[in-house]
Amino acid sequence: MEITKQIVSADMNGLCCAKKFVASCLEGYGDLTLEPPVQWKEEKKRGGEDARAALEEAYSSILRGLGENPERQGLLKTPGRAARAMQFFTKGYQDNIFDVLNDAVYDEDHDEIVIVKDIEMFSLCEHHLVPFFGKVHIGYLPNKKVIGLSKLARIVEIYSRRLQVQERLTKQIAVAITEALKPAGVAVVIEATHMCMVMRGVQKINSKTLTSTMLGVFREDQKTREEFLTLTNH
C-alpha cells in the first residue's frame, strides 16, 4: 500500500510539472488566433518578387544566348516585361477552382442540356512555350443544380492559363465541372490553333486541333452526345 501511495504521489508531481511547463510555453499567447501572421503574407509577396526576378534573369540569359545585348536601349526593359507577361500567361496556377466558383452553384429543377459555346481560350504549349488558342464549347446535363454561366468561362481561364497540352486541358475542364456540380454528364470540345505547328516545324497555317471529353450520359448515351455535337456545330 505504501508503495502504491508513492507511485501515485510521483505521478501527480509529474503531472503538475507538466502543467506548469505547458503553461509557461503558452504564456503571452492568450490572443493567439488561426489567422496567418502578417509576415507570412509578406513572405508570399516576397516570394512572388523573387520569382519575377528569377524570370527576368532567365530572359536576360536567353537574350545573351541569342547573341543580343540585354543592355542596349531597345532591350533594356525587355526581361522585366517578358517576366510580367509570363506570369500573366500562367496566372492560372494561382487560382483555386472553389474560390472562383464563389458559391455560384444554385438549386434548380432543370433537366435539359445547358451549353456555353465559343468561349475564347489562350494557353501555352508546355513543349515549346509558344501559344495555342481557340474556342471551348461546354455542355452539361444538370442534376438539380446549375452554375452561373460566367463561371464556366472562368474555369476555362483557370486551366488554360497554365503550361498545357490541349488533351489534358479538355479533360481538366470537364472534371472540374463534374466535381463542382455532380451533373448527370459533362461534354467539352476544344478547337485550337497551335503556333508550334504554324510558325515552326511543319508550318501548316490552316491546321486546327479538336479534342473532346465526354463524361456521364454524354459518354454513355449516343443521342445525348449527338445533340450536344449538333448544337455546337460539330
Side-chain angles (χ1 to χ4, degrees):
M1 181 66 71
E2 187 65 30
I3 294 174
T4 302
K5 288 181 179 179
Q6 291 175 359
I7 292 174
V8 171
S9 177
D11 286 345
M12 292 302 293
N13 288 336
L15 182 61
C16 291
C17 291
K19 287 182 177 179
K20 290 178 181 179
F21 175 75
V22 171
S24 66
C25 289
L26 295 177
E27 186 178 357
Y29 289 88
D31 296 327
L32 186 66
T33 67
L34 295 179
E35 287 294 320
V38 175
Q39 62 266 24
W40 289 7
K41 298 177 182 178
E42 292 176 350
E43 286 171 3
K44 288 183 179 180
K45 183 178 180 181
R46 289 197 298 270
E49 292 172 353
D50 289 344
R52 182 173 295 178
L55 285 170
E56 289 185 23
E57 181 56 36
Y59 280 116
S60 294
S61 297
I62 289 172
L63 292 174
R64 285 191 290 270
L66 294 173
E68 272 287 2
N69 175 18
E71 302 301 321
R72 72 175 175 85
Q73 186 180 22
L75 294 176
L76 195 59
K77 294 184 179 181
T78 296
R81 294 190 188 104
R84 289 190 294 274
M86 181 57 75
Q87 287 184 318
F88 179 81
F89 296 153
T90 59
K91 65 187 180 72
Y93 288 119
Q94 312 303 321
D95 293 329
N96 180 287
I97 185 70
F98 296 103
D99 290 341
V100 167
L101 292 180
N102 194 27
D103 298 325
V105 176
Y106 309 104
D107 296 327
E108 192 65 46
D109 189 19
H110 181 78
D111 58 358
E112 298 293 338
I113 298 176
V114 177
I115 294 176
V116 178
K117 67 177 188 176
D118 296 330
I119 301 171
E120 294 179 341
M121 174 276 301
F122 300 89
S123 192
L124 282 181
C125 165
E126 67 179 29
H127 300 143
H128 303 99
L129 297 185
V130 295
F132 67 94
F133 57 91
K135 295 179 179 180
V136 182
H137 313 292
I138 298 173
Y140 71 94
L141 189 62
N143 182 18
K144 305 299 183 182
K145 290 183 181 296
V146 298
I147 189 172
L149 298 178
S150 66
K151 301 304 180 182
L152 296 176
R154 292 292 302 275
I155 291 172
V156 171
E157 186 76 359
I158 288 175
Y159 291 106
S160 63
R161 292 296 185 178
R162 302 178 181 190
L163 302 183
Q164 278 288 10
V165 295
Q166 185 174 329
E167 298 88 340
R168 182 172 66 236
L169 172 60
T170 310
K171 188 170 184 178
Q172 285 179 331
I173 293 169
V175 170
I177 296 169
T178 299
E179 291 179 349
L181 281 179
K182 303 294 188 293
V186 175
V188 177
V189 170
I190 298 179
E191 48 183 314
T193 297
H194 291 248
M195 297 309 291
C196 59
M197 289 183 63
V198 172
M199 61 186 298
R200 61 161 298 280
V202 293
Q203 300 182 57
K204 300 303 181 184
I205 296 175
N206 296 315
S207 65
K208 285 190 176 181
T209 301
L210 273 75
T211 51
S212 69
T213 295
M214 304 287 170
L215 302 177
V217 293
F218 290 97
R219 174 182 286 270
E220 298 162 1
D221 185 71
Q222 182 178 350
K223 289 184 178 180
T224 305
R225 181 168 62 251
E226 287 178 351
E227 181 181 355
F228 168 77
L229 294 174
T230 298
L231 290 172
T232 56
N233 301 318
H234 288 92

